[in-house]
Amino acid sequence: MTRLELYDHIREKRSFLCVGLDTDIRLIPPHLLGEDDPVFAFNRAVVDATAPYCVAYKPNLAFYESLGARGLAAFEKTVAYIRTYYPDQFIIADAKRGDIGNTSELYARSFFDRAGVDAVTVAPYMGEDSITPFLAEGRWVILLALTSNRGSQDFQMTVDARGERLFETVLKKSQTWATDEQMMYVVGATQGRMFLEVRRLAPRHFLLVPGVGAQGGSLEEVCRYGMNAQCGLLVNSSRAIIYADRTEAFADAARREARKTQAEMAGYLGM
């Protein structure tokens, strides 16, 4: 999916919502546990309920890998289901990979050729040769830049001898590897006014923004400080949507939460 196609979907749906499919088998409604594939059954119902209100889905690989082969099968079935029934959705594998070049090539083959996702989250620490294998035509790298977690202060805000913070170095250096047609950045919703600093260095890039909802990030602040002329945001909400209810009415509850978030986003888009 190209940048323009993604923006077109945002305009059509008046939404920049990404639904995080962080599907924990310990948290899904008990009545689904009798299904042949409970994780896929849950995901399918959530996707059917929320697809009108979002433009992207983000399965977090940890929740699938923790179940071994059956979890990875559920991940691949989920991606295939979205591709078949909701082909306008942007699919992100939240895998946070990053390794030497030949290993990254195999990760890229796994996610792009086998699973068929649009984008993969990647850690920048090992540098250019660990990132470029993911830059396949029509696919996206989403590079970790300034994250939501408390530990982000440990390294991302450290200052070098020139007075430049590490996240700023990541933003500047990575733009020599790929354009805003191939690369996005992860910036946590809890960063507030720090979005101004990100936009100073990456004014045109799309930002994947986790941390709205259960983690306490403010959608209003994200939009005020982070939105650009083409929206430039994919705001992720996971637990607040997919676990809004744990009864047999879970899909209806997910629909209501997604619709409520989409309505708020429409206001910020001004469309």
Side-chain angles (χ1 to χ4, degrees), residues 222-233:
V222 169
C223 294
R224 186 196 316 169
Y225 302 126
M227 188 175 282
N228 64 20
Q230 289 191 318
C231 181
L233 298 171

Side-chain angles (χ1 to χ4, degrees), residues 33 53 55-56 64 102 127 191 196 211 218 238 267:
L33 296 178
Y53 310 107
V55 295
Y64 302 88
N102 62 336
Q191 294 295 341
L196 294 174
S218 165
S238 301

Side-chain angles (χ1 to χ4, degrees), residues 38-110:
V39 170
F40 174 63
F42 178 83
N43 286 354
R44 181 178 58 200
V46 168
V47 168
D48 287 341
T50 59
Y53 310 107
C54 68
V55 295
Y57 288 100
K58 183 177 71 65
N60 185 317
L61 265 293
F63 291 88
Y64 302 88
E65 292 171 343
S66 68
L67 299 175
R70 65 183 181 133
L72 290 173
F75 164 71
E76 291 188 356
K77 285 194 287 185
T78 297
V79 173
Y81 184 81
I82 297 169
R83 278 276 172 262
T84 300
Y85 295 99
Y86 305 100
D88 63 336
Q89 294 288 342
F90 189 78
I91 306 176
I92 302 164
D94 190 1
K96 299 179 180 70
R97 298 298 194 254
D99 208 328
I100 60 173
N102 62 336
T103 307
S104 285
E105 287 176 9
L106 292 173
Y107 281 137
R109 189 185 307 170
S110 170

Side-chain angles (χ1 to χ4, degrees), residues 145-147 152-153 156-158 165-168 171 187-202 207 221-222 224-226:
L146 190 58
T147 56
S152 65
Q153 302 291 315
Q156 295 166 26
M157 297 297 289
T158 55
R165 291 164 291 188
L166 180 57
F167 83 89
E168 295 173 302
L171 290 171
V187 181
T190 56
Q191 294 295 341
R193 291 180 63 89
M194 290 298 295
F195 277 86
L196 294 174
E197 298 297 307
V198 173
R199 281 302 185 205
R200 177 175 59 84
L201 296 172
L207 307 178
E221 281 194 344
V222 169
R224 186 196 316 169
Y225 302 126

